[in-house]
Each structure stands twice: as C-alpha cells, then as structure tokens.
Amino acid sequence: MFRHHALGGVSVVAIPATLLASAGIASAQSGEKVLPPVTVESHPPAPRPAHNPVRPTPVARQHTVPTAAAQNRPVVVVTTEGADSNGSLGTPPAVSRFQLPQKSFSVTSKQIDETINLKDPEDAVKYLPSLFVRKRNDGDNQAVLATRSWGVNSSARTLVYYDDLLISALIGNNNTNASPRWNLISPEAIGRIDFLNGPFAAAYPGNSIGGVLLISSKMPNKPFAVAKETASVMPWDQYGTKDVYPTSQTSAAAGNREGKLSWLVSANYLDTFQQPLTYTTNGTLPAGTTGAFSALNKQGVPADVVGTGILAHSQQTSANLRLAYDVTPLVRATYSLGIWNNHQVSDPQTYLRSAATGAATFAGISGFATAKYIWDQTQLSNAVSLKSDTKGVYDFDISASSYNYLQDTQLNPFTVAAAGTGFSSNGKITRMDGTNWQDVDAKGIWRPFGFDGPQEISFGIHGDRYDLENPVYASSVWNATSSTGTGALYSSGSGETRTGALWLQDAWKLTPDLKLTLGGRLESWQALDGFNLNTTATSAGVITSTAAINQPGLSSTNFSPKASVSFDPNKDWNITANFGEAYRYPTVTELYQNLTVGGVATFANPFLKPEQDFTGELNFERKWVDGRVRLTLFSERTNDAIISQTNLVTNPATGAQTPTTVVSNVDAIRMQGVELSAEKDNVFVTGLQLFGSVTHVASKILADASWAGTNPLTGLPTTVVGKHVPYVPDWRAKVGVTYRPNESWAYTVAARYSGKQYSTLDNTDVISHVYGAFDNFFVVDMKIHYNATKNFAFDFGIDNIFNEQYFLFHPFPGRTFVLAGKYTF
C-alpha cells in the first residue's frame, strides 16, 4: 500500500508585486483613519432610492467623485450567523458586487442546520430548485451536481466555488474522477450557498452552461469554535446482500479576528461503510454454480447478478485553513489551504456457490477483480486573492488557485484465481498523482457615476491549465509492489488543455425600473501533448502487443455574447429576460483518458469539438418580505454536444460483462422547459414555512449524422433523431414544510421526485429498477432540530423514510437514520 500521510505540495506562485499598486490606489482613496469592522447579516436588502440616469458632463463628474472621508468605510465582514430563517432571500454578495444578471437561489447556514440532515457539504443543496447531487453514499467522492437541463454526467457544465477556490474538477466531464471536490469543505465551515442559473454572465467561462454554485465560508469577526458529531445507520437488503452500514463523522471549525487578521480553520473526519455501489453481472449462469439472481440489464439483455462489485470501507480526513488580512481598511488579501486524504478498501462479495461442494466461488469471473482494490488519495489545494471594497469609482478582484494530486494510487489484482474466491497475485497499479490544474482571474469594476449609480462596467482576464497524468502499471504482487510495479505499462494517458479569456460587461440602469446588461467573452483554447499507450494482454495479464499514439493538437477561439433586460413594474414584481451563448471545451480526460476504474471501462476521443450552447430564459418573480415565487421559461440548444454513455459489453467467450463508456459529439440537441419555485414564511400560522419547486424539461436530439448504433436485442439499426437527451429527466419536483414553534425547535418534512430519464442516445434502455438503469424516484426525508441550550444543539432525522429502492446506474441509499450533536463554544 502507498498510504500518504505527509501534508505537502506546491503552493501557487505569489501574486506579482506590481499588482499591489492597485491596493495602494484604493488605500489612497480611503484616507488614513481606520474604522472598526462591521458585521452584515444576510437579510434582504432595503430598496435604494432611484437615481437620475442622465450622464453628467465630464467637468461635473470630477466634482462628484466621493471624497476620501466619504469613502473611509469600515471593513465589511459578511456572515450568516444571525440570519433569520429567510435570510436566503437577500441578493448574493457576488451578484451585488459584479451586477451579475443571473437569477439565484440561496440557502444560509441557519437553514441548513435546521432543515437538512447534513453529513457532507453537498447535502446542503438538496432542496434548492431543480438541483440534484448524485450522492451514492456518505463521503462519496464522485458526487456530481445536476441542474435543470443537464444530468449526472455533466460535471464540467457547472462551476462550483468555495470562496475563491474552484472545486469543480474541470479535468473531466464525468461522475468519477471529475466530480467536484466537496471533500475539501467541512460542513461546519459553510456560511451560505448561492446558485446562479445559466451562462448569462461574461465573468464565467462556458462551463457555466448549467449554472454556478457559490459556497461561502464563515469568516469570523469574533472568537468562535464549533464541534459536531454525526452518526448514521442504513439497513440494506438487495439481491444477496443484507447488512447494516454505519457512518461516523466528526467535524469542527474555529476562528477569530485579531486586528487586521482574521482566520478560520476547519477539519472533518469520516469513517463510512458503504452499501454495494456496483454489482457484478454475467450474461449466463456459470456452469456448476448456484446462487445467481436472474436479471436483465437496462436494455433487456440477460445480466444475471452474481455478486457485488464495489463494497467499500472509506476513511477520509480533510482540513482547511483560511487567512484574511486587511492590507488597508478597504483592501483584503486572503489565502486558503486545503488538504484531503482518502483511504478506501473494497472487498467484493460473491453470491455464487459450487453446486458440488456448496463453497463460495467467483467462478472465474474477472469482474470481481476490478472491484477488489486498495485506493489511497491525497490532494492539496491552494488559493490566494486580493480584493478591494471601496464602493467608489474603482474596485478590483485578483485570485489564483492551484490543485495538485499528491497521491492517487489504486491497486487491483489482475484477475480472479482459477477456482474459489481468491485473486491472482499479479495486478495493476492505476495512478493519477501528478495530475494538476491552475486557475487565475483578474477582475475590475468601473463605476462612472459612483457606487449604486446607473452604470457599472466590469471586465477581466482569465487563464487556466489542466494537466493529466494517468499511467497504469503491471505489478508482480498486486498489493505489495512499488508504485511503478514491474515498470511495464498496461496503458497510459496524458495531455494538457489551456484556456485564456478576456471579458467585458456593462450594466446600465436606463430608468429606475429598467436595467440593460450587455457582455461578451473572448476565449482561446488549446489541447496539446496528448499521448495514449494501449496494450493487449492475455487473461493472465501477460502483455502481447503495445501501441503508442501521439494525439493531434486541437485549438479553438470563440466569442460569446451575453444580454439581459430586467424590468420592475413595481416594488413587488420583476420580469427578467436573459440570453447567453457559451462554448464548453473538451476536457483533457474526455480527450485522452482510457482506463478502467471500479469496473467501468472508459474510452476517450481525441478528436472532440467544443460544444456551442445557446440559452435563453424569461423570468417572472413576485416577492414578499418573507417569501418569493418565480416562474422561469427556458430554452437551450447545444451544437456538437459532448455526451458520454455507458453500456454493458459482454465478452462472447466468457459471458462476463464490463460497463463501458464512450464519448462523442452529437450534432445538435434542444432542451425546453419551465421551472416554478416558491418559498414563504408564516403560512397560515407564525413559524410555518413552505418551500417547493417543479421543473419540466422536454429534451430532444435534433441531429447526429455519425450515429451507427444497433438495438442489442434485435441487432437492427436504431436512430437517435427525435429521442430524449440522455440523463435529463422529464420532471423534477421538491416540496417541503418547516415548522418553527419557537427558537428551540424546528421540524422539517421534505420530498424529492425525479421522473423518467434515459442513459442511451437511442433510448433503448427501457428496463427499470435493474443495475445500470436510470429510474424515476420519490424520496421523503424528515428532520427534527433542537437547540437544547445556547451552546448545545441536537438533530434526529431520517433520509428516504419509505426506503425507496432505485438505481441511477448505481444502487442509491435506502432508509437512513441520522443522529447528530453540536456544541458551539
């Protein structure tokens, strides 16, 4: 085993000293007197008086610049500690700062504490409209965020940020190694979460097609510390596996502000036993055995379940440090460090018994070997930023982040033993350590008429680089050889992508009630140094041939316009129309990563073209002091959509089945739909809050000239034109009620529904409730939150009360009992 315990890595390069000149300008505007910090709770902002949009003359403009004394504001610290239950109705800080045109949904730490069985940070978005996180178990490190028009295979179509750190792993677009790095966030460090719909802001790259999720930490302005222990238990009974799977989680956070320096440190430890995440299937019942469960796969092909696949025990540790220093009263520098370690062991279980002896056997099915592994991961993130908050004529925002795979090593036996339940001594070593990426952004804001004037112009530059290293070595002893094994390679995939961008946005309040926002983003992308090595090997793992390919370089330069019009008929209503074009570029793993992980074989495509997406929406919104209802009509067309699909491929000689993923461009797809969401406090009685949403999407494949698939049952050619887009459910709905009779108690019951979705381009997956299918589901959760004292709080909850059993390729969690205790110092 190659367990890595040291906390090490490479930090991002410090921001060049020349950039600090901007800090000096902001300091000069602010004057010399330093005022104390002010804490701002996230209540809905009060309406501001209307401003005259008439442009003053240049001479007059010079006399209206705020004086140093007027701009000498205190440092503002945003927190949600004291926010009321509907603090989420306020405008998100990022939206206010950059006048972003997107509509948003939010949830505060107080709401999370009171209403959600929070075991992992991604649980916090559970009830936000249209969103779904593919979380298969506690501590799942492959939890993808799906949005209203994109499904669980679209990790690169949504951006997820934790403060200034991009935790989206844009190294790929899948639900395995490209899932967001939620694990870097301690649940107790979350202050607020905001989701922004669509690719309508020039400030974000085309990966915002699905939206942008912003997670803000609780930066303190006074000493605080909190510790929480959460335990959950899930009974399980499916096929031949009947057991109880427990999870224990310990999380803590502490922080303070001392003069110009504030700090926040958080940590999380998770010890979880997981239900079967995959099953091993075979096209026929192995001769001389009993115990298999007769079944079909999602396309109606025989796929008898002969045992579990991945059956894992995971131990994860994460820690995060965030430092903030006030360079001047109006300029703040921050640094964030995150480390995450995972040690996971999977030991598959066979259902097969020898008909002669009754002894357990793998019956020579090699699929059991891919689910037997030891996996060690250590990953490190660094982020730095420098921001001004003068609320004057100019402000700036500079940030850089780096993410490094210090260790990512998975050890597998190559195959199973000829008889019984043993494994071959030789094996494979799959590595991704050395994989890394960096992001840099520099943004500016110009307010020609001063803060809260009728016009605000924002602009910026962006750069990123993603580097893949993914060799798979042969080893003589699968669990006890060096990280390079015998030195022989079964496969290797490597390559790099780079993107540079310039963007500009002009937000203009034409009248006090009418706002026009225009923007554009110019991007230049390239893929380079792509390399693949592939081999053929005997059933025992002896390499018989090798092919090495230097892949061709790719490049593309594109411009994406954005437009938004917002109209307030009165103080209670808003009507907003948004349009955005966006380009989503192929990721480095979509281009170059050929490997098998967890029994799923993936084949990359080095000739992929960028996606071109056109999205438009029309929003009607009605607000109250303690509530909101919003109706959104949206339409989206994507040309050259990059879509992957996973099907079972059967070995004709043995009947063994391997889930296999292929990636391709689909000429054109379209998604049209409607989203209705609402939330309201004090409904009928004081303290009763209702919330809910319903989303309908009509998706269609418009063209795919390269399609050449066949029906696996009939062998006849199929068509994809007119079929539903894979992984996009037709309906999603959520509804919940929270009752707060007083400050001590909160009772929540909430339900989530997802309708029919397909996972094949030709929609031939018509069999439901089998391993590999994508089922509809209806899940009900409940939670009781009790503030026993000023310091102690307790939670009891049940997720999936009615034990709904459903598959989204993987079997998803059944009824789970959750108990938590929290102490705030």
Side-chain angles (χ1 to χ4, degrees):
M1 292 187 295
F2 310 111
R3 189 78 184 275
H4 186 93
H5 298 284
L7 307 184
V10 181
S11 298
V12 294
V13 177
I15 294 177
T18 54
L19 296 177
L20 294 176
S22 300
I25 295 172
S27 177
Q29 291 180 349
S30 67
E32 298 181 356
K33 186 177 179 182
V34 178
L35 298 180
V38 173
T39 299
V40 178
E41 296 177 353
S42 58
H43 295 279
R48 295 189 175 103
H51 290 264
N52 187 345
V54 177
R55 179 187 291 272
T57 64
V59 175
R61 179 71 194 95
Q62 294 176 8
H63 292 287
T64 59
V65 175
T67 64
Q71 291 201 34
N72 193 0
R73 297 181 177 89
V75 174
V76 175
V77 182
V78 177
T79 179
T80 56
E81 283 297 307
D84 62 23
S85 62
N86 230 353
S88 61
L89 294 177
T91 303
V95 172
S96 298
R97 179 172 173 83
F98 288 99
Q99 297 293 302
L100 301 178
Q102 290 112 315
K103 287 298 183 180
S104 63
F105 298 103
S106 306
V107 62
T108 66
S109 60
K110 179 177 174 63
Q111 290 173 295
I112 295 169
D113 281 345
E114 293 181 346
T115 64
I116 298 171
N117 294 316
L118 186 72
K119 293 168 283 181
D120 296 300
E122 60 265 35
D123 291 330
V125 306
K126 181 184 294 187
Y127 304 130
L128 289 180
S130 299
L131 301 186
F132 171 74
V133 177
R134 191 204 76 145
K135 179 185 168 183
R136 306 164 300 168
N137 54 268
D138 293 336
D140 190 1
N141 58 350
Q142 299 179 9
V144 170
L145 177 65
T147 60
R148 67 187 180 193
S149 56
W150 293 103
V152 295
N153 69 328
S154 299
S155 62
R157 293 188 181 99
T158 305
L159 296 171
V160 184
Y161 291 89
Y162 179 50
D163 291 327
D164 300 306
L165 175 65
L166 178 67
I167 66 170
S168 288
L170 300 183
I171 195 161
N173 181 47
N174 56 49
N175 46 29
T176 53
N177 49 47
S179 301
R181 299 304 188 241
W182 308 99
N183 318 79
L184 286 172
I185 306 170
S186 172
E188 293 311 303
I190 297 174
R192 174 188 181 98
I193 298 178
D194 304 295
F195 181 74
L196 315 180
N197 268 317
F200 307 123
Y204 295 111
N207 303 95
S208 63
I209 289 173
V212 182
L213 189 75
L214 305 173
I215 305 174
S216 304
S217 62
K218 298 176 181 176
M219 285 305 293
N221 65 338
K222 61 182 179 180
F224 94 99
V226 61
K228 184 177 182 181
E229 180 67 26
T230 304
S232 65
V233 176
M234 180 179 62
W236 184 262
D237 188 357
Q238 192 174 72
Y239 293 121
T241 302
K242 185 174 183 178
D243 210 335
V244 176
Y245 296 101
T247 294
S248 172
Q249 182 187 55
T250 303
S251 56
N256 192 14
R257 180 180 176 86
E258 301 173 2
K260 296 182 178 182
L261 178 68
S262 55
W263 57 272
L264 173 68
V265 61
S266 58
N268 192 67
Y269 175 73
L270 182 83
D271 190 336
T272 179
F273 292 85
Q274 304 165 0
Q275 86 278 7
L277 293 185
T278 61
Y279 287 103
T280 302
T281 62
N282 212 60
T284 59
L285 178 66
T289 65
T290 62
F293 289 81
S294 179
L296 302 175
N297 72 3
K298 63 185 179 181
Q299 294 173 297
V301 175
D304 295 338
V305 179
V306 297
T308 70
I310 298 173
L311 190 60
H313 174 212
S314 183
Q315 296 170 293
Q316 300 180 26
T317 304
S318 63
N320 200 292
L321 171 66
R322 181 170 170 83
L323 303 174
Y325 183 77
D326 297 330
V327 181
T328 76
L330 304 177
V331 176
R332 170 170 288 187
T334 63
Y335 170 71
S336 296
L337 171 70
I339 186 98
W340 173 70
N341 176 266
N342 176 39
H343 176 68
Q344 188 174 106
V345 177
S346 175
D347 196 8
Q349 170 191 2
T350 180
Y351 302 151
L352 299 175
R353 295 293 182 270
S354 168
T357 66
T361 179
F362 288 144
I365 298 173
S366 59
F368 285 106
T370 62
K372 173 73 173 179
Y373 62 75
I374 301 170
W375 193 5
D376 280 295
Q377 299 172 280
T378 301
Q379 299 177 4
L380 179 76
S381 69
N382 288 270
V384 293
S385 69
L386 186 67
K387 300 180 182 181
S388 71
D389 190 21
T390 67
K391 292 183 173 61
V393 178
Y394 301 103
D395 269 310
F396 65 86
D397 188 329
I398 303 167
S399 62
S401 65
S402 177
Y403 198 95
N404 293 269
Y405 286 43
L406 301 184
Q407 180 189 32
D408 195 304
T409 308
Q410 182 173 310
L411 312 178
N412 297 82
F414 189 85
T415 189
V416 297
T421 56
F423 297 92
S424 63
S425 59
N426 65 310
K428 297 186 294 182
I429 301 172
T430 302
R431 298 180 56 181
M432 286 191 68
D433 39 332
T435 297
N436 66 90
W437 60 83
Q438 295 80 39
D439 291 88
V440 179
D441 282 277
K443 305 175 185 178
I445 302 172
W446 177 39
R447 307 181 182 99
F449 303 102
F451 181 74
D452 205 26
Q455 186 181 23
E456 181 171 304
I457 299 172
S458 54
F459 50 90
I461 60 174
H462 167 83
D464 63 53
R465 171 186 174 274
Y466 290 82
D467 183 21
L468 171 70
E469 299 291 339
N470 191 198
V472 180
Y473 291 97
S475 64
S476 55
V477 180
W478 76 268
N479 60 348
T481 50
S482 69
S483 59
T484 55
T486 62
L489 285 167
Y490 281 123
S491 67
S492 183
S494 61
E496 183 178 329
T497 61
R498 299 176 184 174
T499 308
L502 298 171
W503 63 270
L504 176 69
Q505 174 185 280
D506 189 351
W508 183 273
K509 190 171 288 187
L510 303 177
T511 72
D513 302 321
L514 182 64
K515 181 179 178 181
L516 173 66
T517 303
L518 298 175
R521 188 176 182 93
L522 178 65
E523 295 173 297
S524 179
W525 168 86
Q526 61 176 328
L528 61 158
D529 297 333
F531 173 78
N532 287 110
L533 182 145
N534 300 302
T535 64
T536 58
T538 67
S539 59
V542 178
I543 296 173
T544 57
S545 67
T546 301
I549 304 173
N550 289 307
Q551 304 292 3
L554 302 173
S555 64
S556 184
T557 299
N558 309 97
F559 177 74
S560 304
K562 321 283 184 178
S564 174
V565 178
S566 178
F567 175 59
D568 298 318
N570 55 49
K571 65 180 181 64
D572 299 322
W573 284 88
N574 173 263
I575 302 172
T576 298
N578 289 324
F579 168 80
E581 180 184 0
Y583 286 85
R584 207 278 289 178
Y585 297 105
T587 63
V588 67
T589 64
E590 288 173 309
L591 294 167
Y592 307 127
Q593 187 181 51
N594 296 324
L595 82 164
T596 299
V597 174
V600 180
T602 299
F603 293 93
N605 184 344
F607 303 101
L608 291 172
K609 294 179 287 187
E611 295 178 336
Q612 181 188 30
D613 185 88
F614 300 92
T615 301
E617 67 174 17
L618 181 61
N619 296 276
F620 301 90
E621 184 174 71
R622 170 70 161 90
K623 288 185 178 182
W624 296 270
V625 173
D626 59 355
R628 172 174 60 195
V629 62
R630 181 186 300 158
L631 175 68
T632 302
L633 307 176
F634 61 89
S635 180
E636 185 169 356
R637 178 189 169 110
T638 305
N639 298 326
D640 296 317
I642 303 173
I643 296 179
S644 63
Q645 57 177 345
T646 303
N647 294 316
L648 285 176
V649 175
T650 303
N651 185 323
T654 64
Q657 295 175 323
T658 302
T660 303
T661 300
V662 294
V663 186
S664 63
N665 282 111
V666 177
D667 292 342
I669 65 174
R670 184 184 67 207
M671 290 168 285
Q672 296 176 322
V674 57
E675 176 186 74
L676 176 65
S677 64
E679 56 181 309
K680 182 71 169 63
D681 279 351
N682 306 313
V683 179
F684 303 124
V685 297
T686 302
L688 185 67
Q689 181 187 26
L690 298 180
F691 57 90
S693 64
V694 59
T695 306
H696 174 64
V697 181
S699 64
K700 181 182 289 188
I701 298 175
L702 302 178
D704 190 10
S706 63
W707 175 257
T710 59
N711 188 304
L713 288 178
T714 66
L716 298 176
T718 59
T719 181
V720 300
V721 175
K723 300 300 176 66
H724 295 277
V725 176
Y727 308 106
V728 180
D730 53 357
W731 290 93
R732 279 201 182 108
K734 303 177 184 183
V735 62
V737 55
T738 298
Y739 179 53
R740 302 176 178 88
N742 52 48
E743 289 297 318
S744 297
W745 291 92
Y747 306 88
T748 299
V749 178
R752 295 168 287 138
Y753 172 78
S754 180
K756 176 62 179 175
Q757 60 181 298
Y758 295 91
S759 60
T760 58
L761 287 167
D762 57 5
N763 294 179
T764 54
D765 50 323
V766 295
I767 306 299
S768 60
H769 299 289
V770 296
Y771 170 56
F774 282 76
D775 296 332
N776 57 357
F777 61 85
F778 179 75
V779 173
V780 180
D781 311 319
M782 60 82 63
K783 178 174 181 175
I784 300 173
H785 176 76
Y786 175 48
N787 293 316
T789 69
K790 181 180 178 180
N791 303 102
F792 272 111
F794 297 95
D795 299 319
F796 171 72
I798 305 174
D799 284 334
N800 196 355
I801 293 174
F802 300 113
N803 199 32
E804 174 90 344
Q805 290 198 351
Y806 61 101
F807 292 84
L808 296 177
F809 187 88
H810 306 271
F812 268 61
R815 183 186 297 116
T816 306
F817 301 89
V818 184
L819 185 65
K822 178 178 177 179
Y823 186 80
T824 304
F825 297 87

